[in-house]
Amino acid sequence: MSDVVVRFPPSPTGYLHIGGARTAIFNWLFARKHGGKFILRIENTDTERSTRESVEGILDGLRWLGLHWDEGPYFQNDFHKEHIRAAQMLLEMGLAYKCFCSKEELDKRRQQALHEKRSIGYDGRCRGLSQDEVKKREKKGIPYVIRFKVPEREGKIGYDDKVLGRIEKDYSEIEDFVIVRSNGTPLYLLCNVVDDIRDGITHIIRGQDHMANTIRQLLLYEALKKTPPVFAHMPLTLDPRKRKISKRTHGEVVSVQFYRERGFLPWALVNFLVLLGWHTSDNREIFSKEELIEAFSIEGISKANSVFNFNPDDKEKIKKFFTDPKALSINAHYLRTMPVDELYEYVKEDFIKSNLWRKEYEDEKKEWFLSTIDLIRSRFHTIKDFARYGRAYFADDFPIDEKALKKNILKHPQLKALLPMLSDVLNGLETWNIELLEDIVRAFCEKEGVKPGIVINGIRTVITGQLKGPGIFDCMVAIGKDRVIKRLAHLAK
RNA sequence: GGUCCCAUCGUCUAGUGGCCUAGGACGUCGGCCUCUCACGCCGAAAACAGGGGUUCGAGUCCCCUUGGGACCGCCA
């Protein structure tokens, strides 16, 4: 095993969303690529917003995507004492100080600064408080936070970002940030560093929205006398209006769960997501798990943010694209190319939910089931389509598409008599296979003087309810003699 | 307002000074196949944000402008 150790540290304040999943994917891939370790750590120091359900939701999402972690989940809360100790140490070493400014005061000052068009950072007024002054205020019971004392140095602090290159910032422009709340609980900036040190994290791959944190955390590493890990800041994923994607403003469309429920294959989602801001030099787009791990490299991560072109206006309207067309197309690709017996598991799961599942599909009718989903899958985009557009193959209560009815039946009134006639002809058949059916149907058309296309499309509409579908004789075989003749005979209604 | 990041077709992207007449994928449009649709195949429309440099030569390097984004919490 190499010495690569990475982590995915979600905060359990909601479901796993696309952005988080993407970060997890990149970290996971990096670990797998280098034979390293992928640690899952739940950052639940914000106890007010953290919930048990979201922890479960996140784990569930990661498992579904197939992103297996090697260690954890660890819970940040469990290391509370370590975090406190670190803060104490910084305080004792004079690298941090107590700040007695109240939240209200700070808010007011920020407002004022904004108003006066100044920088709105903390001005460091408690930094120079004398020992006596500090003691006096403590005695009075004034609450305080602990702030990190940014070194008073000339020049810049910086690091070499693996995707962005050299990043630097003037010491003078960094404000003294809070590391412990007035209620005594340490904050993310500190906890995160302490945990990363303890876990031996070697590479931190996270969103560009963390860049300001990185600068401050670098200071923390220095103060704690530890070598910082390598940083790589990934581009953000944006909504179609180019806003950062968030659970709060975008809702379920950006959750992993949403894609699961809408019939995505987990690997298709991973494959799509990894393409958002990453590429190989040969521009390949479809990867198996092994291929992706092999191909992955941080060098392929782009600097620019990318748009996840989901459909934000989809208000339950049935649209052709309920999410990014490319995501759908990748999903469709896997749907029609993956081994049928793998697909079987997904369809089964969905059919159980849709009440279409029958026990015999796993034993005596399994072969039929497999060949049927194989037959119809090439025009589907999601797992849901099997129950939606393929219902007629598995049940007798299926809807007839309005358009199909109009175009293929009503337009040709003679079908009303012809199809029941054909039904009788078919009823007399002893065998039931593609070649025979084709001969019979075509002969029937010739005899009745109708174009085969009219009859064939009529049959399709009647037996599948659909405007489109596989070759008709395949359909007839898949649906079976009994059901076909029954459906054709019933046209009278 | 301050700081930082970014900038090639509608979207994801290739491109690291000459191989660019800017390539691919998705989507769109047209065609082939055909009983329909899909698949597959063929084809079309579609981009280097603008301006200055540097250079024999710039999508590629530098500067400015513009545009977009992120961050500026006792959230993570």
Side-chain angles (χ1 to χ4, degrees):
Chain A
M1 186 166 267
S2 78
D3 53 1
V4 165
V5 183
V6 293
R7 80 315 197 251
F8 176 56
S11 65
T13 55
Y15 44 67
L16 179 64
H17 62 106
I18 294 301
R22 195 165 142 271
T23 307
I25 291 168
F26 280 72
N27 277 285
W28 173 80
L29 281 171
F30 187 70
R32 289 295 165 270
K33 165 86 181 188
H34 297 284
K37 217 164 32 175
F38 177 55
I39 297 178
L40 177 59
R41 196 172 62 218
I42 307 293
E43 311 249 298
N44 58 350
T45 49
D46 184 1
T47 44
E48 281 177 31
R49 298 198 303 154
S50 300
T51 66
R52 225 196 135 69
E53 296 78 64
S54 53
V55 171
E56 274 317 307
I58 288 166
L59 299 190
D60 210 44
L62 290 173
R63 276 192 284 253
W64 180 70
L65 288 169
L67 308 179
H68 301 294
W69 53 92
D70 305 300
E71 271 184 32
Y74 295 131
F75 290 84
Q76 196 159 56
N77 261 355
D78 296 341
F79 301 95
H80 184 72
K81 284 192 180 131
E82 262 182 56
H83 305 144
I84 298 279
R85 213 177 304 136
Q88 280 306 327
M89 201 171 95
L90 293 175
L91 211 48
E92 281 157 23
M93 294 192 299
L95 299 172
Y97 62 90
K98 293 172 182 173
C99 166
F100 297 87
C101 300
S102 74
K103 246 184 230 179
E104 293 71 28
E105 267 175 78
L106 291 169
D107 264 349
K108 219 164 92 189
R109 277 185 235 155
R110 266 194 283 268
Q111 285 304 321
Q112 179 132 14
L114 205 58
H115 188 73
E116 292 168 10
K117 300 186 175 178
R118 286 184 289 109
S119 170
I120 55 184
Y122 177 67
D123 59 8
R125 68 177 59 193
C126 293
R127 187 184 178 125
L129 251 34
S130 67
Q131 292 279 43
D132 288 351
E133 188 63 31
V134 169
K135 280 205 182 108
K136 217 164 86 190
R137 295 193 189 193
E138 275 186 287
K139 232 172 238 164
K140 273 204 234 161
I142 303 176
Y144 63 86
V145 298
I146 299 178
R147 281 182 190 274
F148 180 77
K149 195 185 277 179
V150 176
E152 283 182 83
R153 287 186 202 144
E154 290 293 310
K156 301 168 188 290
I157 181 169
Y159 63 100
D160 292 304
D161 192 291
K162 285 306 230 189
V163 352
L164 263 11
R166 183 77 190 164
I167 302 292
E168 292 181 319
K169 192 167 176 98
D170 259 66
Y171 281 101
S172 61
E173 275 164 357
I174 311 168
E175 60 176 303
D176 290 344
F177 51 93
V178 178
I179 52 177
V180 180
R181 295 183 179 90
S182 56
N183 69 4
T185 59
L187 254 14
Y188 166 79
L189 244 11
L190 210 222
C191 301
N192 197 246
V193 168
V194 170
D195 293 341
D196 283 340
I197 290 171
R198 184 193 56 250
D199 291 338
I201 302 301
T202 58
H203 299 257
I204 293 181
I205 305 171
R206 58 180 7 171
Q208 287 181 9
D209 49 348
H210 278 283
M211 285 176 69
N213 290 334
T214 300
I215 289 292
R216 293 182 291 181
Q217 292 188 321
L218 242 25
L219 257 17
L220 253 15
Y221 277 98
E222 183 193 309
L224 296 170
K225 300 189 170 54
K226 301 289 179 186
T227 315
V230 174
F231 288 93
H233 290 100
M234 320 186 337
L236 268 15
T237 95
L238 273 22
D239 75 7
R241 288 166 52 204
K242 294 198 185 340
R243 300 282 157 192
K244 180 175 142 185
I245 279 175
S246 75
K247 315 175 206 187
R248 234 180 115 176
T249 55
H250 299 94
E252 62 163 5
V253 232
V254 303
S255 75
V256 167
Q257 185 62 19
F258 178 80
Y259 292 88
R260 184 177 186 174
E261 283 164 4
R262 293 287 204 120
F264 262 73
L265 264 0
W267 186 253
L269 224 211
V270 171
N271 196 148
F272 167 72
L273 254 18
V274 81
L275 255 20
L276 241 39
W278 175 84
H279 62 89
T280 53
S281 49
D282 59 0
N283 234 343
R284 256 187 309 160
E285 302 207 311
I286 299 290
F287 301 89
S288 69
K289 191 176 281 192
E290 295 68 31
E291 288 168 341
L292 188 57
I293 290 167
E294 169 64 29
F296 186 76
S297 121
I298 289 187
E299 280 68 54
I301 299 178
S302 47
K303 296 181 181 181
N305 294 341
S306 50
V307 172
F308 174 28
N309 217 352
F310 62 87
N311 196 336
D313 309 316
D314 179 34
K315 298 200 178 86
E316 290 308 309
K317 271 185 279 178
I318 299 169
K319 289 198 173 173
K320 189 169 176 192
F321 303 114
F322 67 88
T323 188
D324 197 305
K326 191 151 188 169
L328 250 5
S329 121
I330 291 177
N331 200 52
H333 170 87
Y334 281 107
L335 215 55
R336 65 172 177 265
T337 56
M338 74 196 292
V340 205
D341 49 326
E342 264 174 54
L343 178 62
Y344 169 84
E345 299 298 334
Y346 292 102
V347 178
K348 175 179 175 183
E349 190 189 332
D350 186 65
F351 272 23
I352 290 171
K353 273 188 225 145
S354 333
N355 244 333
L356 277 177
W357 185 250
R358 290 166 60 181
K359 188 91 178 53
E360 65 242 46
Y361 294 160
E362 50 195 295
D363 29 69
E364 76 258 30
K365 290 200 81 176
K366 180 159 184 182
E367 208 170 308
W368 171 82
F369 188 78
L370 289 177
S371 68
T372 301
I373 60 176
D374 188 31
L375 176 70
I376 60 183
R377 64 174 166 165
S378 85
R379 66 222 79 213
F380 293 165
H381 291 90
T382 73
I383 298 290
K384 287 283 165 198
D385 290 341
F386 287 92
R388 193 179 296 140
Y389 304 123
R391 190 177 178 90
Y393 295 86
F394 309 99
D396 289 319
D397 57 327
F398 58 94
I400 306 275
D401 180 58
E402 283 293 323
K403 270 191 219 155
L405 195 64
K406 230 181 241 171
K407 190 176 165 195
N408 295 334
I409 303 292
L410 303 180
K411 218 171 112 191
H412 310 285
Q414 69 270 40
L415 288 174
K416 214 164 174 178
L418 285 174
L419 294 185
M421 272 168 67
L422 179 62
S423 176
D424 287 340
V425 174
L426 296 174
N427 199 13
L429 294 177
E430 304 235 321
T431 50
W432 190 259
N433 62 54
I434 297 173
E435 297 74 25
L436 180 69
L437 285 170
E438 174 144 23
D439 289 347
I440 299 288
V441 171
R442 289 196 188 273
F444 176 81
C445 291
E446 193 158 333
K447 183 168 150 252
E448 299 297 329
V450 215
K451 275 199 218 158
I454 293 175
V455 170
I456 288 173
N457 286 326
I459 299 173
R460 174 171 295 108
T461 302
V462 173
I463 70 172
T464 71
Q466 296 291 310
L467 186 58
K468 36 193 180 175
I472 195 62
F473 307 108
D474 291 285
C475 289
M476 291 168 81
V477 169
I479 289 172
K481 182 176 173 185
D482 287 356
R483 293 198 287 196
V484 169
I485 58 173
K486 219 174 272 169
R487 288 173 192 182
L488 289 176
H490 269 211
L491 180 60
K493 293 197 297 183

